[in-house]
Each structure stands twice: as C-alpha cells, then as structure tokens.
C-alpha cells in the first residue's frame, strides 16, 4: 500500500538571480505494519537554459541517491523501484525493520558566476547502521554547467594549510601531535593531509566536508568545517578562473 504523494512548492524571487522554487516529495509503502519511506526536498529553478541544465543535474543527483544498484531513467522510476524492492524483500524474507531514504538539496550560495547546492542524504535499508552523506555541487550560474574545483578560484596550497588547521581544531588534535601520530585518520600515502572534493560556499564563507570513511572510520563521523570570508585571505573565492 502506498501513501499519498505530497508535493509542496514555495517560490523565492531574488532580483538578478535564478528564480527558485522549493519542492518536497514524500511517499511510503507498507507490508503489514512495517514501511519503507522516502522524503525529498530540493530547489527547482525557473528561467533560461541554465535553469534547465541545473534542474537536470539535481534530478540526476536525486536519482543516484535512490537507485543504489538499479539505474533509473527518471526520478519517478527510481522511487518506484526502491519501493518495489522493499515490498519484494519484505514478502520474500519478512519485514524486520523500517527502510527510509531522506534527501535534502539546498541552495547555499548564488552570485552572477557561481551557484552552490548542498545535498544531504541519509538512508537505511537494513544492515548495521544508517548511511549518511553530504555533497557540495558547484554550478556556473550563467550556463548551468557543473564546475570542477579547478574552474573556481582556489589557491589549493594556501587552502590545504588553512583547512588542516581547522581540521585539527575540529578533532581536538594536540599541537605537538601529528595527524599521523594521532592514528584516527586515513591520510594520503599514510602520512599526508588532503583536501576533499566537497568544497563550496555559503553566504558567510567556505564550506569543507569530509564524509564518513573518507578521512576516517565510520565512528569518526562527518567532518564539516566552515571558514568565514575574513579568514580565507585569498585561499578561496566564489569566482571563476579566466579561461
């Protein structure tokens, strides 16, 4: 049995920026008294070709967060496959625990050149523990194309030093102990600190995210660092590099 699908929209108008609607979606399916649920909230952009490109990439991100094993051509099919998989599993093996997928996509920054969205996802499909993940995606505001980090004004040398300082504070590593000696972290070549792929911006500065298993075991959790504009000192700027 499937519950009613709920779609809600809130439109936000900001002069000089892409027009944004906030959409949400919820559905569940139950076998006896055990259910699988899915909840999503995400921005939908109205406007020119850039908005179409960004919307398509956001939909692809949602699909990838739902369709773990079986590819899906669209979001509706990904949701249907997920609920069908739960129903088959519950009927074949017994429904022992609830399944869930929660995804929140939120715009964190937008200017004339760059748009950053943060994708937060958590899921449980049985197993030892839920899985959580956060991804920062940067777009060219004018074309809608997804930007690699090398296309944005980062001074990776300066940034590496600055992020390591913040990382040590976050995990309370004593000044006289190296990250290698601390022993909790997965380091490059077993000794070198490294930057994650998750770099993006919000209105107050730079966002830096290391997901579970990326730089430490699951028990270490997620490392989420925020560096205010005034502390960046040229290490990062929400501008594109000249081609």
């Amino acid at each position: 049995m499937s519950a009613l699908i709920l779609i809600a929209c809130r439109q936000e108008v900001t002069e000089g920026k892409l027009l944004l609607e906030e959409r949400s979606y919820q559905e569940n399916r139950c076998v006896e008294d055990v259910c699988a649920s899915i909840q999503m909230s995400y921005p939908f952009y109205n406007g020119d070709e850039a908005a179409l490109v960004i919307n398509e990439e956001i939909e692809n991100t949602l699909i990838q967060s739902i369709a773990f094993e079986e590819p899906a051509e669209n979001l509706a099919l990904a949701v249907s496959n997920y609920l069908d998989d739960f129903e088959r599993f519950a009927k074949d093996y017994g429904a022992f625990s609830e399944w869930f997928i929660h995804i929140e996509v939120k715009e964190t920054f937008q200017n004339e050149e760059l748009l950053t969205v943060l994708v937060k996802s958590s899921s449980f499909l049985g197993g030892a523990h839920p899985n959580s993940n956060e991804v920062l995606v940067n777009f060219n505001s004018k074309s809608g194309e997804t930007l690699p980090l090398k296309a944005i004004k980062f001074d990776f040398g300066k940034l590496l030093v600055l992020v390591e300082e913040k990382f040590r504070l976050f995990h309370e590593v004593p000044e006289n102990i190296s990250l290698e000696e601390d022993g909790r972290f997965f380091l490059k070549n077993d000794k070198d600190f490294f930057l994650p792929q998750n770099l993006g911006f919000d209105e107050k500065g730079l966002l830096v995210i290391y997901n579970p298993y990326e730089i430490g075991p699951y028990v270490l959790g997620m490392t989420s660092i925020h560096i205010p504009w005034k502390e960046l000192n040229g290490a990062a700027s929400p501008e594109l590099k000249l081609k």
Side-chain angles (χ1 to χ4, degrees):
M1 178 179 68
S2 294
L4 176 67
I5 295 175
L6 173 64
I7 298 179
C9 298
R10 184 174 69 84
Q11 185 165 291
E12 181 178 311
V13 180
T14 306
E15 186 176 354
K17 295 183 179 181
L18 291 168
L19 185 64
L20 165 64
E21 294 178 9
E22 293 182 359
R23 295 186 171 184
S24 61
Y25 174 101
Q26 180 175 336
E27 188 172 357
N28 64 64
R29 187 179 299 175
C30 301
V31 175
E32 298 179 354
D33 59 347
V34 181
C35 302
S37 63
I38 183 164
Q39 297 177 14
M40 294 182 287
S41 61
Y42 56 96
F44 182 87
Y45 293 92
N46 294 301
D48 55 16
E49 289 295 322
L52 296 176
V53 175
I54 294 170
N55 289 337
E56 182 176 0
E57 181 59 30
I58 289 174
E59 180 172 347
N60 288 336
T61 299
L62 291 169
I63 291 171
Q64 292 169 13
S65 298
I66 299 167
F68 301 101
E69 297 179 358
E70 184 178 356
E73 295 179 359
N74 55 57
L75 187 55
L77 184 59
V79 171
S80 179
N81 289 344
Y82 157 69
L83 296 173
D84 289 346
D85 286 346
F86 167 77
E87 187 171 358
R88 283 192 296 268
F89 183 88
K91 289 180 178 178
D92 290 346
Y93 301 104
F96 301 107
S97 60
E98 305 278 342
W99 285 18
F100 69 80
I101 296 177
H102 297 163
I103 310 169
E104 178 188 15
V105 185
K106 183 179 180 180
E107 177 186 303
T108 60
F109 182 85
Q110 185 183 163
N111 66 11
E112 293 183 355
E113 291 190 313
L114 185 133
L115 165 70
T116 300
V117 300
L118 172 62
V119 183
K120 294 184 177 182
S121 61
S122 60
S123 64
F124 182 75
L125 284 73
H129 54 72
N131 291 306
S132 299
N133 193 56
E134 294 189 7
V135 177
L136 289 161
V137 185
N138 297 297
F139 297 95
N140 184 319
S141 297
K142 295 179 180 178
S143 69
E145 68 177 322
T146 306
L147 294 170
L149 294 181
K150 65 181 181 181
I152 306 171
K153 286 189 175 180
F154 290 116
D155 184 325
F156 292 107
K158 287 183 179 179
L159 194 57
L160 181 66
V161 174
L162 183 56
V163 173
E164 182 173 356
E165 291 176 358
K166 298 293 185 180
F167 184 91
R168 293 176 64 92
L169 289 171
F170 185 96
H171 290 290
E172 299 180 337
V173 180
E175 291 184 6
N176 61 333
I177 299 293
S178 70
L179 296 180
E180 182 182 4
E181 291 170 328
D182 183 282
R184 287 179 289 169
F185 311 113
F186 303 154
L187 302 173
K188 186 177 180 181
N189 302 320
D190 295 325
K191 60 184 178 65
D192 298 323
F193 185 69
F194 62 91
L195 293 172
Q197 287 299 306
N198 280 318
L199 301 174
F201 299 90
D202 67 6
E203 296 299 330
K204 296 182 179 180
L206 180 70
L207 300 169
V208 182
I209 298 172
Y210 294 88
N211 279 295
Y213 299 116
E214 184 175 5
I215 201 167
Y218 178 82
V219 294
L220 188 72
M222 187 173 300
T223 302
S224 183
I225 297 169
H226 185 271
I227 306 176
W229 298 119
K230 64 181 180 180
E231 296 183 26
L232 287 171
N233 294 323
S237 175
E239 301 174 76
L240 304 188
K241 291 182 178 178
L242 296 177
K243 296 182 179 179

